[in-house]
Amino acid sequence: MPRRYKSLYQIPYQKHFVLAFIIIIILINLVISCQIKAYSSFKTYGIYIDNHLYIDIPINNSDAVQKGEYLKIDDEKYAIEIEEISDLQVEGSINYQTYSLKSFKEFKNNEVVEITFYYNKQRIIKKIIKLIF
């Protein structure tokens, strides 16, 4: 064998570094996802009328409001204070209820407000497993 081909056999394999780097990144992400907790969120719109926020919530998202930790309006956190819940209403094939929430901030009358509810605090790894299965 000519000498130049023999030197090619002695070239160090460079992909070990890439493989080790990928494994380290995966392990770091796994450890972080086991330690950090995150909320589930539900975004909706409400209307401000006479110091109350009225929100139509589908029945399958009612736990987000009733058991929620807090809500955000304009990037400010507020505790959820439900004042009144309407009877079950039907629109098409969707069942919903209208919630009356105490408003912590003054808006113009009949102003539409974007509201995000945060609920169900879990570790990120549990949320990923729940999505997969």
Side-chain angles (χ1 to χ4, degrees):
M1 215 186 286
R3 188 170 199 179
R4 56 186 165 189
Y5 293 119
K6 232 181 206 184
S7 64
L8 290 176
Y9 283 122
Q10 296 172 356
I11 293 176
Y13 188 65
Q14 297 294 324
K15 294 189 180 182
H16 289 301
F17 174 73
V18 174
L19 185 62
F21 183 73
I22 291 172
I23 289 173
I24 289 171
I25 294 295
I26 290 172
L27 288 175
I28 288 172
N29 285 336
L30 184 65
V31 169
I32 288 173
S33 67
C34 288
Q35 296 298 322
I36 296 177
K37 292 183 178 182
Y39 287 101
S40 298
S41 65
F42 171 67
K43 189 177 283 192
T44 187
Y45 293 94
I47 188 164
Y48 179 81
I49 300 173
D50 298 329
N51 204 26
H52 294 282
L53 286 169
Y54 292 97
I55 305 166
D56 291 334
I57 304 290
I59 293 300
N60 56 353
N61 291 326
S62 63
D63 286 344
V65 178
Q66 292 178 355
K67 297 178 183 177
E69 297 284 327
Y70 64 92
L71 61 91
K72 263 189 180 181
I73 302 173
D74 296 333
D75 294 328
E76 294 182 34
K77 290 183 183 181
Y78 301 103
I80 300 172
E81 291 187 29
I82 301 171
E83 292 190 344
E84 188 179 346
I85 302 173
S86 72
D87 292 332
L88 189 63
Q89 301 170 11
V90 179
E91 184 175 310
S93 62
I94 299 173
N95 297 333
Y96 70 94
Q97 289 179 306
T98 301
Y99 287 79
S100 173
L101 302 177
K102 179 182 175 188
S103 179
F104 301 97
K105 191 174 180 181
E106 186 121 353
F107 299 100
K108 293 179 184 174
N109 222 13
N110 293 329
E111 182 177 351
V112 176
V113 179
E114 183 179 28
I115 302 168
T116 306
F117 292 94
Y118 292 91
Y119 64 100
N120 194 18
K121 187 175 183 180
Q122 288 182 325
R123 297 193 188 280
I124 293 176
I125 192 73
K126 286 184 180 179
K127 290 185 179 288
I128 293 170
I129 290 171
K130 192 175 183 181
L131 283 173
I132 293 173
F133 300 108

